[in-house]
Amino acid sequence: MDTVVTGTLTPKQLDEINNLINLCKSEDNMETPVFLESDMNEFPDFPCFFLIYDGSQLAGFISVFIPDPFECEVYAYTRPDYRGKGCFKTLFRMVKEQLDIFDIPTVMFVNCPESRIGVMALISIGASFHNSDYILKYDSSQLPVPGHFLNLEPFTEDGVTGYRTFLDGRYIGECFIDDSLGSSTIYSFEIHPALRGMGYGRETLLLVLEELLASGRDNIILHLSGSNKAAYRLYTTNGFQILHQVDYWEYLC
């Protein structure tokens, strides 16, 4: 088999990768993420795309996202009829060579929990489960019932809208809302550290949900790290359901 290591994909390579991704999605019946934007990497000269061919057939590829100098995320796909033939391990050996050159110590593999083959491959190289990230969607059939003991006030900061809550004029918490992608995404949800564990987070969330629904915005989502157990409990016990889950597996170089 032949391999290609590059920092820039040709249109032909990009088409081949997208076809491979679609084939894997169809075969595995799951939505899996992928990274194809090399200009977002911490090191612009890192060759972040690794491809393996059997003749003219793309058998597998790995892409590497480097958000900071100490850690990278690895996304891997192997054509279903080439799984178990060493494609992934061959490509990952090449990835490790580049990680050693750039002195990046930690790899976080991105894997869907439904992918048993992916889990087996990660275990075989010594990776260990680290945490899950979630996209949660609010079930708008469950109308929020806040206690209305906090005051909710809209605000705009750097062109972004959000909401803040107050109790007798004292700041309690806030969040931002992104309506740019056909949904209302709640992010940067914060309660003042000294006021956590007192029910203010739940009340703030319910007030924001009530306001969004009242304005006709019923497609409400948020992104959450599973390592934040308190936030996970808050959202899932107040109408949010898991729309998509991604698992991160850690490998130390």
Side-chain angles (χ1 to χ4, degrees), residues 98-131:
Q98 295 299 323
L99 295 178
D100 287 342
I101 293 172
F102 285 81
D103 197 25
I104 300 172
T106 304
V107 177
M108 300 299 290
F109 285 96
V110 183
N111 187 63
C112 284
E114 301 90 348
S115 177
R116 293 182 179 274
I117 292 177
V119 169
M120 291 172 60
L122 294 173
I123 292 174
S124 73
I125 64 169
S128 58
F129 176 77
H130 188 269
N131 71 281

Side-chain angles (χ1 to χ4, degrees), residues 15-35:
D15 284 343
E16 292 171 336
I17 289 172
N18 283 324
N19 289 336
L20 175 57
I21 292 172
N22 290 332
L23 177 63
C24 291
K25 286 181 178 180
S26 176
E27 177 74 16
D28 301 331
N29 192 30
M30 66 183 71
E31 288 292 326
T32 49
V34 66
F35 169 77

Side-chain angles (χ1 to χ4, degrees), residues 151 153 165-172:
N151 294 322
E153 297 183 7
T165 50
F166 297 86
L167 178 62
D168 297 329
R170 182 184 183 186
Y171 170 81
I172 300 297

Side-chain angles (χ1 to χ4, degrees), residues 65-73 104-108 250:
F65 171 48
I66 308 172
D68 60 58
F70 311 105
E71 183 177 286
C72 70
E73 295 180 1
I104 300 172
T106 304
V107 177
M108 300 299 290
E250 184 179 54

Side-chain angles (χ1 to χ4, degrees), residues 138-247:
Y138 184 68
D139 179 2
S140 58
S141 68
Q142 301 185 36
L143 296 179
V145 185
H148 292 285
F149 56 85
L150 299 180
N151 294 322
L152 182 72
E153 297 183 7
F155 72 95
T156 301
E157 185 175 289
D158 297 328
V160 181
T161 60
Y163 295 96
R164 291 184 175 130
T165 50
F166 297 86
L167 178 62
D168 297 329
R170 182 184 183 186
Y171 170 81
I172 300 297
E174 66 181 38
C175 69
F176 290 88
I177 309 295
D178 181 3
D179 292 308
S180 64
L181 297 175
S183 62
S184 295
T185 301
I186 300 174
Y187 68 99
S188 296
F189 187 96
E190 291 284 345
I191 299 298
H192 191 286
L195 301 175
R196 294 172 185 170
M198 303 171 67
Y200 295 140
R202 180 177 185 274
E203 177 68 7
T204 297
L205 176 64
L206 294 178
L207 286 170
V208 170
L209 291 171
E210 184 180 58
E211 180 68 20
L212 292 175
L213 292 172
S215 61
R217 291 176 285 178
D218 59 358
N219 186 16
I220 305 168
I221 65 172
L222 55 83
H223 299 256
L224 176 68
S225 171
S227 59
N228 190 339
K229 303 298 184 184
Y232 182 84
R233 286 193 300 271
L234 171 65
Y235 297 131
T236 56
T237 57
N238 286 283
F240 282 90
Q241 300 175 349
I242 296 174
L243 182 65
H244 185 58
Q245 175 181 340
V246 171
D247 291 342

